[in-house]
Amino acid sequence: MTDLRKDFPLVDDIVYFDNAATSLIPEPVINAMNEFERRYRANVGRGVHRLTSIASQRYFNSHQKVARFIGADAGTTVLTKNTTEAINMVACGLKWNKGDSVVTTALEHHSNLLPWLRLRERGVGVKVLMPHPDGTLDLSAFELAVNDNTRLVAISHASNVLGTILPVKEIAAICNEHGTRLLVDGAQSAPHLPVNVKDIGCDYFCFSGHKMLGPTGTGILWMKDSDISPLLVGGGMIESVSTEDYTLAGGYQRYEAGTPHIAGMIGLGRAVEYLEKAGMDSVREHERRLTRKLLGGLASMENIRIYGPAENMERIGVISFNIEGMHPHEVSHILDEAAAIMTRSGEHCCQPLMRHMGLPGGTVRVSLYLYNTEEEIGLLLETLEEITRRL
Ligand SMILES: Cc1ncc(COP(=O)(O)O)c(C=O)c1O
């Protein structure tokens, strides 16, 4: 993976360990976006001139590349702004009935909790399952909570705070028994593990392009069936319109009203190609090796408390910890000042989880990606040793 680093100019100056928030972006992705802006900028799906034809084709290709990336040879792949928009599209687009219920967990990012909590205004019940301290949840909790009134289960594939990977396939099987739809928030899984939506057996899979080497303002909603109504209506998503009525287009067009983020989505397609070339199995293995080294190093230090599953459990390279007696923001600030190491500190958009774990200030979070190195982990551990020595 080290030869990839030349594509990420920022890694020469800093250590970037905030990949769960947003990843860095490689030069080929920037070039793909620039090429659109410089050489064939035009709107998509409108008109017939040569520029719009090229732009439309490349924009269409991005849908196909993203679909292939998650093993979606069927269903509909919609390009969105981010994971948050994708989840809200499902929450707002399903036809809810009074008495329906949604099952979710306290592990969720606010983006996979608030859209469901808001449904309470419409008479929908929301059950929130509580995880164990390492972020795991018993399947029996889902078996108990899901019944024939459960319209939807909404869960993360991997936690953005603890790194825990949830048994989504087994949860899909429970949903199946009750005719319940399953939405998987893949914001932290798709960038880091091979994902196959067919294999998972979910109905909706949501993730963010900007967390997987793509530009900001890019996300994805994959749906097994196009069974939601669109969030927005307007140009670019209709079959026909009269002054009285309109007929919606089919496919992804139905859900993409207005001019999309064309350069960004073309960049997203290039980002997917980049990851495929690196190989998602290799990305996973590389991050596993770094996670092992980091967890081992942290465990050997006094005054450090690690949260989340052990290294030998199913987990991603998202590691949360605290130094006793120090606020996470203070630690993160010193890491930046002392060694140009970028980490995330605070509640990670997971206030219910932080409250459940008794961590009002949150944690320091290190999140890894393919361009990170063992040397960078070494530097982090040395700097943390130095900080704890001064306590
Ligand atoms: C698990 C999870 N879900 C949802 C989101 C929201 O992603 P976005 O800000 O791209 O909408 C994040 C972002 O960190 C996340 O980690």
Side-chain angles (χ1 to χ4, degrees):
M1 293 283 152
T2 44
D3 53 329
L4 300 176
R5 283 172 66 83
K6 64 176 184 339
D7 293 330
F8 299 87
L10 261 172
V11 303
D12 293 339
D13 303 322
I14 50 117
V15 176
Y16 192 75
F17 282 152
D18 194 15
N19 294 289
T22 196
S23 74
L24 299 180
I25 183 170
E27 290 289 309
V29 173
I30 299 170
N31 293 342
M33 289 192 291
N34 282 343
E35 198 196 1
F36 163 76
E37 300 292 4
R38 292 209 172 103
R39 301 195 183 282
Y40 63 97
R41 183 182 164 98
N43 215 324
V44 292
R46 296 147 167 87
V48 294
H49 63 76
R50 74 181 81 164
L51 295 192
T52 191
S53 301
I54 303 171
S56 299
Q57 186 61 51
R58 304 242 170 126
Y59 183 72
F60 174 73
N61 289 350
S62 283
H63 285 81
Q64 293 197 311
K65 288 177 196 172
V66 168
R68 189 184 61 211
F69 185 65
I70 54 165
D73 49 17
T76 307
T77 303
V78 182
L79 299 181
T80 67
K81 213 161 58 186
N82 45 39
T83 302
T84 307
E85 185 179 57
I87 296 172
N88 274 278
M89 282 169 72
V90 177
C92 297
L94 277 173
K95 201 168 173 309
W96 298 96
N97 301 310
K98 252 202 165 90
D100 283 345
S101 78
V102 171
V103 171
T104 186
T105 81
L107 202 64
E108 306 309 316
H109 188 281
H110 295 162
S111 292
N112 195 27
L113 183 62
L114 272 63
W116 316 119
L117 292 181
R118 187 162 69 165
L119 289 175
R120 284 183 170 155
E121 293 162 14
R122 290 161 68 175
V124 174
V126 182
K127 285 186 214 165
V128 182
L129 306 181
M130 291 298 171
H132 297 299
D134 62 0
T136 55
L137 280 135
D138 295 329
L139 280 176
S140 57
F142 285 93
E143 272 157 7
L144 276 175
V146 178
N147 59 40
D148 292 350
N149 291 329
T150 314
R151 277 292 292 291
L152 184 106
V153 170
I155 42 158
S156 338
H157 195 175
S159 159
N160 65 310
V161 180
L162 302 173
T164 325
I165 297 179
L166 268 72
V168 282
K169 223 171 138 168
E170 289 75 7
I171 295 168
I174 296 171
C175 289
N176 247 335
E177 283 170 28
H178 298 278
T180 300
R181 288 177 175 84
L182 175 63
L183 178 144
V184 175
D185 171 353
Q188 298 298 342
S189 64
H192 304 284
L193 348 154
V195 162
N196 186 307
V197 288
K198 258 195 330 213
D199 185 48
I200 295 173
C202 58
D203 297 274
Y204 311 101
F205 191 85
C206 309
F207 57 118
S208 295
H210 69 91
K211 294 183 197 288
M212 42 180 269
L213 312 184
T216 54
T218 64
I220 303 100
L221 165 63
W222 173 80
M223 295 181 272
K224 188 161 87 184
D225 303 310
S226 301
D227 55 1
I228 61 172
S229 49
L231 192 61
L232 303 176
V233 289
M237 48 87 77
I238 45 82
E239 198 66 61
S240 65
V241 186
S242 72
T243 52
E244 307 301 323
D245 207 357
Y246 55 85
T247 309
L248 297 176
Y252 70 78
Q253 281 93 345
R254 172 181 291 232
Y255 300 99
E256 295 185 9
T259 302
H261 179 13
I262 306 169
M265 297 315 178
I266 287 169
L268 172 63
R270 186 68 190 85
V272 164
E273 278 177 356
Y274 191 97
L275 283 172
E276 281 177 340
K277 181 146 182 269
M280 289 310 291
D281 284 321
S282 308
V283 170
R284 171 96 175 111
E285 198 37 53
H286 176 73
E287 291 176 18
R288 268 197 168 140
R289 201 168 337 110
L290 299 186
T291 303
R292 220 173 291 136
K293 184 174 166 92
L294 177 54
L295 284 174
L298 289 176
S300 69
M301 273 183 227
E302 276 179 37
N303 303 322
I304 290 206
R305 170 105 200 260
I306 311 169
Y307 308 99
E311 62 159 268
N312 57 356
M313 288 178 67
E314 276 292 278
R315 54 140 47 249
I316 55 165
V318 167
I319 297 100
S320 265
F321 65 91
N322 273 326
I323 297 184
E324 270 165 39
M326 288 181 78
H327 194 281
H329 287 330
E330 198 187 346
V331 177
S332 191
H333 188 69
I334 298 174
L335 287 171
D336 179 3
E337 290 280 296
I341 296 173
M342 312 295 139
T343 54
R344 168 86 184 264
S345 51
E347 295 164 323
H348 315 294
C349 296
C350 279
Q351 286 186 6
L353 178 66
M354 295 291 96
R355 210 163 294 141
H356 177 57
M357 295 179 71
L359 298 169
T363 68
V364 182
R365 180 184 72 184
V366 173
S367 50
L368 309 170
Y369 214 178
L370 71 173
Y371 35 72
N372 292 127
T373 63
E374 301 220 4
E375 290 72 29
E376 289 179 333
I377 300 286
L379 178 67
L380 171 66
L381 291 170
E382 276 167 35
T383 315
L384 287 170
E385 282 242 26
E386 187 58 38
I387 298 172
T388 52
R389 213 174 295 133
R390 277 194 255 137
L391 280 178

